[in-house]
């Protein structure tokens, strides 16, 4: 019985390896032997999750031909990987990837760091802030007071609590987009909403157009649903959406779905203007593509003088082309797993019907907590504090990175929670690996792309401030030095630092 569960072709592995950009060696540093560079490249791909664990690698001769190197080089690299625990082999079965004992299995998504690791590790992997107190506690207490009538029911509300659906609809209406409760479905977070939409519209093999880069966890969700991702390049910096590219892709590829984050895009922080929004909706309508708009960052405007553009669904009020996804996770707290979908009533009915075979409904107590926040004005107060906190964090992190890493390039976004950074020619994957050894956790650029794109980038969220932001930048600078000189960083030990 084979020990491997998937196969990586020689062409695919060569493409992934060639996407890893390397900065020229500095004075006094030595270039590693070709076999060592190849082994390091495969190791990084495994640690990043871009090559799965238990994936069968190509035969030595095949990979040598694809990389235009000698078979001896590939054989030596495979032997080094076996010695280090990243490769296992058996005569007649080939060689497959592994991780050494004690190493965590890599994941393609951005899973939160375990709480027990926070003492020594600064976690910049997840773009989420601590709960805004006292509003979380007040909301839960308010929910408990409202709970008794619901406790006398079965507790399953596949479309969501009627009171919360009405409240969300009223909030859209107040923002200039008339909405009925029948156009709202409450979900278990934004991920639950998009998962339901993908299963309804994007069956296995269906094309989905996505921004490039885009949100890593959503890209992985779509891959696992069997979608064929069609990347559409973003403009430089914060310029956002290239409508000519979008029209071309929508016309030529005819994707069933398109996924966009128009409000403080994750990871770049770009904000689509009204003209871009209108033209994108028109292009999707003309192509017959359903446009899924992720609004989870929409309330995190950090600059007081910024005028927010009209919501994307405002250009499609009936919901025939645009399906909007919202959430309490980014604006309030990720631990409050409440999201929602706004769409045409017939789409909502289809989503609700399909939900009977998934999770049946969203927890009642959490829905009551969000409804309490909306009804009492607590939401506005909590989000105002959240904006202040994120603005302080953003400014502190920007100052620290500019001081410690002056050759890294980025534009400061006007909102959201993320900074998209070009790393001066260094490999983002290798920076992430070195950073973890030095006590700072960051996601590398390829996690936000398709097929190895954005190796020269990392994403830094605004989740730390003050001395923690300063220390994070110091550790990142140390990681950059390791990557630049080709050192492994194995001997570096992070000092305890409570974030």
């Amino acid at each position: 019985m084979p020990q491997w569960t998937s196969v990586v072709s020689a062409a695919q592995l060569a493409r992934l390896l060639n996407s890893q950009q390397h900065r020229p060696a500095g004075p006094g540093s030595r270039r590693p032997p070709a076999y060592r560079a190849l082994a390091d490249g495969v190791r990084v791909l495994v640690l990043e999750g871009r090559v799965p664990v238990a994936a069968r690698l190509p035969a030595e001769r095949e990979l040598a031909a694809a990389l235009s190197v000698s078979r001896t080089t590939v054989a030596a690299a495979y032997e080094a990987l076996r010695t280090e625990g990243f490769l296992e082999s058996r005569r007649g079965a080939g060689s497959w990837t592994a991780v050494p004992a004690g190493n965590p299995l890599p994941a393609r998504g951005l899973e939160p760091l375990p709480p027990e690791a926070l003492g020594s590790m600064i976690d910049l992997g997840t773009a989420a802030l601590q709960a805004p107190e006292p509003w979380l506690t007040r909301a839960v207490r308010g929910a408990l007071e409202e709970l008794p009538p619901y406790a006398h029911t079965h507790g399953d509300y596949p479309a969501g609590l009627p009171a919360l659906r009405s409240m969300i609809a009223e909030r859209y209406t107040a923002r200039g987009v008339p909405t009925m409760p029948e156009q709202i479905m409450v979900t278990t977070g934004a991920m639950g909403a998009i998962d339901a939409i993908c299963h309804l519209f994007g069956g296995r093999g269906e094309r989905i157009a996505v921004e490039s880069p885009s949100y890593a966890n959503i890209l992985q969700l779509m891959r696992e649903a069997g979608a064929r991702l069609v990347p559409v390049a973003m403009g430089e910096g914060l310029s956002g959406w290239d409508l000519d590219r979008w029209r071309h892709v929508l016309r030529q590829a005819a994707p069933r779905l398109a996924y966009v984050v128009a409000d403080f895009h994750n990871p770049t922080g770009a904000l689509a203007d009204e003209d871009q929004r209108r033209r994108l909706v028109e292009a999707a309508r003309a192509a017959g593509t359903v446009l899924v708009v992720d609004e989870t960052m929409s309330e995190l405007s950090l600059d007081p003088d910024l005028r927010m553009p009209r919501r994307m669904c405002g250009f499609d009020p009936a919901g025939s082309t645009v399906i909007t996804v919202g959430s309490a996770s980014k604006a309030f707290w990720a631990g409050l797993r409440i999201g929602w979908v706004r769409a045409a009533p017939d789409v909502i009915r289809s989503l609700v019907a399909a939900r009977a075979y998934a999770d049946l409904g969203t927890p009642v107590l959490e829905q009551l907590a969000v409804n309490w926040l909306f009804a009492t004005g607590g939401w506005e107060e909590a989000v105002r504090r959240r904006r202040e906190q994120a603005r302080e964090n953003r400014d502190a992190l920007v100052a620290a990175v500019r001081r410690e890493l002056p050759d890294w390039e980025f534009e400061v976004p006007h909102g959201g929670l993320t900074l998209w950074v070009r790393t001066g020619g260094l490999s983002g994957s290798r920076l992430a690996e070195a950073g973890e050894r030095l006590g700072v956790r960051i996601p590398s650029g390829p996690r936000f792309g398709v097929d190895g794109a954005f190796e020269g980038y990392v994403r830094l969220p605004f989740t730390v401030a003050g001395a923690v932001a300063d220390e994070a930048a110091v550790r990142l600078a140390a990681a950059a030095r390791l990557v630049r000189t080709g050192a492994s960083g194995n001997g570096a030990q992070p000092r305890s630092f409570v974030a």
Side-chain angles (χ1 to χ4, degrees):
M1 183 175 179
Q3 302 295 310
W4 43 269
T5 57
S6 61
V7 177
V8 180
S9 70
Q12 182 184 7
L13 184 56
R15 185 171 65 252
L16 290 169
L17 288 165
N18 288 332
S19 74
Q20 296 178 335
Q21 300 173 3
H22 302 279
R23 190 168 188 158
S29 61
R30 292 182 298 175
R31 217 178 266 281
Y35 85 89
R36 183 69 261 172
L38 175 55
D40 288 346
V42 173
R43 187 187 76 248
V44 168
L45 291 174
V46 172
L47 289 172
E48 274 284 292
R50 292 161 63 201
V51 169
V53 174
R56 187 177 187 270
L57 296 188
E60 294 170 1
R61 191 185 304 277
E62 294 174 357
L63 185 57
L67 292 173
S68 299
V69 300
S70 71
R71 183 178 176 181
T72 302
T73 297
V74 177
Y78 277 16
E79 180 58 32
L81 288 167
R82 277 190 287 268
T83 300
E84 296 163 5
F86 286 95
L87 196 68
E88 295 181 10
S89 303
R90 194 179 69 195
R91 187 178 296 277
S95 299
W96 56 92
T97 56
V99 292
N103 277 47
L105 287 174
R108 292 292 296 270
L110 304 181
E111 72 287 353
L113 189 70
E116 61 269 19
L118 292 176
S120 60
M121 184 73 70
I122 299 175
D123 185 13
L124 297 182
T126 305
L129 296 167
Q130 296 175 346
E133 289 287 25
W135 299 108
L136 175 62
T137 299
R138 291 178 182 176
V140 173
R141 287 173 178 165
L144 287 171
E145 292 177 1
E146 299 292 332
L147 182 62
Y150 296 95
H152 295 290
T153 73
H154 50 61
D156 288 334
Y157 295 85
L161 295 184
L164 182 55
R165 295 176 74 196
S166 295
M167 185 66 70
I168 294 170
E170 289 175 11
R171 290 174 65 82
Y172 277 104
T173 301
R175 286 162 172 77
V177 187
T179 302
M180 304 178 294
E182 292 78 9
Q183 290 178 264
I184 301 295
M185 180 176 84
V186 181
T187 62
T188 308
M191 291 288 288
I194 295 171
D195 182 57
I197 294 166
C198 286
H199 280 88
L200 181 64
F201 288 96
R204 187 164 293 275
E206 289 280 3
R207 295 184 181 92
I208 301 180
V210 295
E211 298 145 329
S212 183
S214 187
Y215 179 35
N217 287 340
I218 294 297
L219 294 180
Q220 185 61 14
L221 182 155
M222 292 174 175
R223 289 188 189 101
E224 293 181 357
R228 298 165 60 189
L229 301 183
V230 182
V232 186
M234 296 283 287
E236 285 295 318
L238 299 180
S239 60
W241 291 257
D242 185 326
L243 271 300
D244 289 336
R245 286 177 179 166
W246 271 101
R247 273 194 295 266
H248 177 77
V249 168
L250 294 177
R251 184 172 58 249
Q252 297 298 321
R256 185 73 178 91
L257 290 175
Y259 170 76
V260 298
V261 185
D263 298 295
F264 309 121
H265 175 260
N266 187 354
T268 69
L271 176 66
D273 61 33
E274 288 203 5
D275 184 59
Q276 289 172 325
R277 295 168 188 239
R278 175 183 54 78
R279 292 165 61 196
L280 186 52
V281 172
E282 291 173 352
R285 184 181 293 117
T289 297
V290 175
L291 191 60
V292 181
V293 179
D294 186 334
E295 289 189 340
T296 53
M297 296 281 191
S298 64
E299 298 203 51
L300 291 175
S301 171
L302 305 185
D303 295 336
D305 57 347
L306 179 66
R307 180 180 178 275
M308 288 294 293
R310 188 179 179 189
R311 289 177 178 242
M312 190 84 86
C313 56
F315 299 98
D316 180 50
S320 59
T321 297
V322 175
I323 296 179
T324 303
V325 172
S327 171
S329 296
K330 297 299 185 184
F332 189 79
W333 185 46
L336 200 58
R337 304 303 304 159
I338 298 295
W340 53 85
V341 178
R342 182 200 180 275
D346 62 316
V347 173
I348 294 298
R349 286 193 293 271
S350 296
L351 288 169
V352 171
R355 194 174 195 180
Y357 308 101
D359 63 356
L360 292 178
T362 302
V364 170
L365 189 63
E366 294 186 20
Q367 291 187 73
L368 289 172
V370 172
N371 193 62
W372 183 92
L373 288 166
F374 286 155
T376 62
W379 178 270
E380 282 69 24
E381 286 296 317
V383 170
R384 180 184 61 79
R385 176 67 192 110
R386 173 68 83 224
R387 292 189 186 115
E388 293 173 355
Q389 182 183 10
R391 186 185 309 119
E392 293 169 4
N393 291 0
R394 178 195 64 181
D395 296 346
L397 187 63
V398 164
V401 172
R402 282 178 171 165
R403 181 178 63 251
E404 300 294 336
L405 293 148
D407 59 332
W408 286 19
E409 302 173 25
F410 54 86
E411 291 188 43
V412 181
H414 299 294
L417 289 172
T418 59
L419 198 66
W420 185 237
V421 181
R422 193 193 303 267
T423 57
L426 299 179
S427 162
S429 298
R430 294 178 185 275
L431 279 166
E433 183 189 12
E436 189 117 5
R437 297 177 187 277
L438 293 168
V440 59
R441 184 171 181 262
I442 58 170
S444 65
R447 291 187 177 229
F448 303 89
V450 177
D451 291 334
F454 307 109
E455 184 61 58
Y457 289 83
V458 295
R459 190 195 73 171
L460 305 179
F462 317 143
T463 55
V464 295
V468 186
D470 292 339
E471 178 66 14
V474 168
R475 296 184 187 186
L476 286 174
R481 287 192 294 273
L482 288 178
V483 174
R484 190 175 289 112
T485 59
S488 67
N490 286 332
Q493 295 295 325
R495 60 182 182 275
S496 179
F497 195 90
V498 179

